[in-house]
């Protein structure tokens, strides 16, 4: 098995002859201290931090950055003038909770993101293959545009999904373009594939921007006839954070630009293999580096990868929220035949779900499956027949806690 392409990209972008843990950690400490020096000089949110650390282990002694801090005063984290900023991303995503955040990127930040994207996508995509990109294209350097540029670097053909409003729109777009691969949300891909029916042309996928529970990935892999490439990213980590290699056992972290920790509910580091909250320090971002940012995402570190890659790996990621997460609901709902979409609201002890289902099946098997998974909740399910002229439920947040 070949090593992850991420190792090759790190060597290339960092001008390293080879990559091992010692070399990588030396790079990380040097870049961490450069970042600490820059943020201290800014006299903003991190004005009280030390300018230098003698080891990576000392990072755990620094205070956390929280999403609320970032939402309330984004300007205190910005190190450059507005004229040096290439792109600002703000507003809600399907995975965010709390107040919206504004994240700033320079041209160099975005170049590194495109390089990371290309390395991860190259595990799946070959030259001249066509790839449907199911992410927004809101102008230059939006997420969809960055992915398209990365696909082009590989000699492949990016196909923007456009702005489909109905299942018919999705199916027509796929029929017209006949893509080989997909980059986008996993639940949406499963729904589109089930609505499309036989002769679905997409055979492989890099899935991102949402949790990837077995209840979705299992049916998807059966339908596509290939393994999936999950990716983890967020605005705060520079959009690209970790990606799967051909071993298909966890996601390799972008460690030349991100220092990752896993902490328990008290904020203390946990041993490898133990689940906890992902905390990131972005040592590779020019515009808005973050120190010990609490992502609100739950994962764990995995041991060394069978591919032989040097970078550390994280397991699948879910949101740390009270009660069930959307991934838990997906695990119960999507394995059932014909389910193409689902959206939920948790009102105290009451779970309300809207489900779109293709075919002749109703909701008789949905409630028992959910009651078995969530015996302590009062559950209400509304099932709507999915026809091609209807619209997905997916845009916006899929799960709301009230």
């Amino acid at each position: 098995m070949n090593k992850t392409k991420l190792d090759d990209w790190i060597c290339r972008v960092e001008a390293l002859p080879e990559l091992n843990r010692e070399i990588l950690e030396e790079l990380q400490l040097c870049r961490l201290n450069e970042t600490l020096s820059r943020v201290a000089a800014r006299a903003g949110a991190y004005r009280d931090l030390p300018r230098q650390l003698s080891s990576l282990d000392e990072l755990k002694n620094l205070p956390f950055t929280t999403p609320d801090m970032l939402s309330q005063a984004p300007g205190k984290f910005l190190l450059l003038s507005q004229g040096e900023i290439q792109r600002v991303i703000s507003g809600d995503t399907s995975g965010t909770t709390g107040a919206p955040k504004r994240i700033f990127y320079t041209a160099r930040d975005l170049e590194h993101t495109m390089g990371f994207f290309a390395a991860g996508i190259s595990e799946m995509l070959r030259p001249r293959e066509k790839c449907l990109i199911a992410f927004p294209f809101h102008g230059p350097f939006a997420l969809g545009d960055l992915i398209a540029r990365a696909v082009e670097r590989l000699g492949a053909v990016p196909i923007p999904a456009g702005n489909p409003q109905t299942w018919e729109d999705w199916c027509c777009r796929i029929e017209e373009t006949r893509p080989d691969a997909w980059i986008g949300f996993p639940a949406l891909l499963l729904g589109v594939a089930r609505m499309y029916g036989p002769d679905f042309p997409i055979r492989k996928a890099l899935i991102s921007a949402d949790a990837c529970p077995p209840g979705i990935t299992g049916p998807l892999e059966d339908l596509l006839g290939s393994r999936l490439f999950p990716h983890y990213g967020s605005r705060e980590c520079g959009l690209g954070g970790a990606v799967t290699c051909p071993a298909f056992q966890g996601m390799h972290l972008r460690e030349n630009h991100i220092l990752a920790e896993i902490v328990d509910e008290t904020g203390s580091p946990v041993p490898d293999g133990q689940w906890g909250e992902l905390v990131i320090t972005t040592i590779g971002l020019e515009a808005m580096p973050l120190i010990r940012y609490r992502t609100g995402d739950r994962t764990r570190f995995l041991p060394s990868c069978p591919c032989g890659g040097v970078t550390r790996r994280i397991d699948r990621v879910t949101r740390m929220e009270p009660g069930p997460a959307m991934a838990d609901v997906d695990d119960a709902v999507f394995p059932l035949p014909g389910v193409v979409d689902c959206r939920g609201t948790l009102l105290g002890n009451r779970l309300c779900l809207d489900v779109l289902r293709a075919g002749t099946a109703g909701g008789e098997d949905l409630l028992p499956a959910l009651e078995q998974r969530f015996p302590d909740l009062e559950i209400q399910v509304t099932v709507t027949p999915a026809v091609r002229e209807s619209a997905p439920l997916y845009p916006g947040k899929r799960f709301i806690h009230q």
Side-chain angles (χ1 to χ4, degrees):
M1 180 184 299
N2 294 327
K3 285 187 178 182
T4 169
K5 300 290 198 306
L6 180 58
D7 282 16
D8 295 335
W9 174 72
I10 292 175
C11 284
R12 186 166 58 254
V13 76
E14 305 297 347
L16 299 173
E18 61 176 337
L19 193 67
N20 57 44
R21 285 309 305 178
E22 181 180 1
I23 291 173
L24 182 56
E25 290 174 7
E26 285 178 359
L27 172 68
Q28 289 175 324
L29 180 58
C30 178
R31 189 154 287 163
L32 172 61
N33 284 329
E34 289 173 353
T35 302
L36 288 172
S37 180
R38 291 182 65 223
V39 299
R42 164 68 171 81
Y46 297 126
R47 60 185 176 275
D48 296 326
L49 295 185
R51 289 176 177 262
Q52 296 282 303
L53 298 179
S54 60
S55 71
L56 292 173
D57 188 59
E58 294 179 10
L59 180 62
K60 68 177 183 292
N61 300 322
L62 303 185
F64 292 113
T65 303
T66 66
D68 284 344
M69 294 166 62
L70 199 55
S71 298
Q72 292 166 7
K76 290 185 177 180
F77 296 89
L78 181 60
L79 302 189
L80 302 173
S81 68
Q82 290 286 344
E84 297 172 280
I85 300 303
Q86 182 81 61
R87 181 77 186 181
V88 183
I89 299 181
S90 60
D92 292 331
T93 68
S94 62
T96 56
T97 57
K101 297 179 283 287
R102 288 170 57 81
I103 310 296
F104 299 78
Y105 310 92
T106 65
R108 183 170 177 267
D109 293 336
L110 297 175
E111 170 59 34
H112 284 159
T113 294
M114 286 186 281
F116 171 78
F117 282 167
I121 295 167
S122 69
E123 303 283 13
M124 170 189 75
L125 201 61
R126 301 293 173 262
R128 295 181 294 279
E129 288 185 325
K130 294 183 290 185
C131 182
L132 184 70
I133 301 171
F135 281 124
F137 281 74
H138 298 318
F141 303 108
L143 179 57
D145 182 57
L146 293 172
I147 296 171
R149 292 170 187 240
V151 168
E152 287 177 338
R153 292 183 181 188
L154 303 175
V157 182
I159 301 172
N163 189 32
Q165 300 295 315
T166 66
W167 297 110
E168 179 67 15
D169 294 337
W170 279 106
C171 292
C172 287
R173 184 64 171 152
I174 291 171
E175 179 61 31
E176 291 167 359
T177 59
R178 304 296 293 181
D180 303 285
W182 164 286
I183 297 177
F185 298 91
L188 180 59
L189 174 57
L190 182 56
V192 171
R194 284 177 167 172
M195 290 300 294
Y196 191 97
D199 194 32
F200 189 61
I202 294 172
R203 308 318 303 169
K204 46 193 176 181
L206 187 149
I207 52 176
S208 188
D210 229 344
C212 305
I216 289 180
T217 58
L220 257 181
E221 290 181 341
D222 290 343
L223 193 152
L224 302 183
S226 65
R227 300 294 302 274
L228 300 169
F229 289 86
H231 165 269
Y232 170 78
S234 67
R235 297 166 179 175
E236 295 86 349
C237 74
L239 300 174
V243 70
T244 302
C245 74
F248 302 104
Q249 297 183 30
M251 296 173 285
H252 288 268
L253 284 158
R254 180 181 165 185
E255 284 200 282
N256 57 329
H257 295 152
I258 297 171
L259 292 174
E261 305 170 73
I262 309 293
V263 302
D264 62 19
E265 61 275 4
T266 70
S268 299
V270 302
D272 289 2
Q274 185 171 319
W275 294 88
E277 182 180 5
L278 176 64
V279 174
I280 58 170
T281 298
T282 50
I283 54 176
L285 294 182
E286 282 189 324
M288 200 174 188
L290 300 175
I291 309 298
R292 303 201 77 205
Y293 178 77
R294 301 193 72 148
T295 65
D297 292 325
R298 182 176 182 268
T299 188
R300 62 176 177 170
F301 285 129
L302 295 172
S304 58
C305 184
C307 82
V310 173
T311 51
R312 303 188 77 183
R313 292 176 304 144
I314 54 174
D315 208 333
R316 71 185 186 94
V317 179
T318 57
R319 292 298 297 170
M320 297 183 65
E321 296 174 324
M326 194 67 218
D328 301 315
V329 175
D330 289 343
D331 255 339
V333 170
F334 275 98
L336 301 176
V339 172
V340 298
D341 207 352
C342 179
R343 185 170 61 193
T345 302
L346 187 64
L347 303 165
N349 200 48
R350 187 181 183 189
L351 177 62
C352 302
L353 293 178
D354 292 313
V355 177
L356 289 182
R357 197 166 192 181
T360 59
E364 299 81 6
D365 53 349
L366 278 167
L367 193 57
L370 290 162
E371 288 175 340
Q372 182 178 3
R373 180 64 66 96
F374 310 112
D376 299 326
L377 295 180
E378 177 187 349
I379 299 172
Q380 175 184 322
V381 181
T382 302
V383 180
T384 303
V387 294
R388 284 204 171 194
E389 292 73 26
S390 64
L393 301 170
Y394 200 85
K397 291 183 180 292
R398 294 184 61 223
F399 199 57
I400 300 173
H401 289 256
Q402 293 185 345

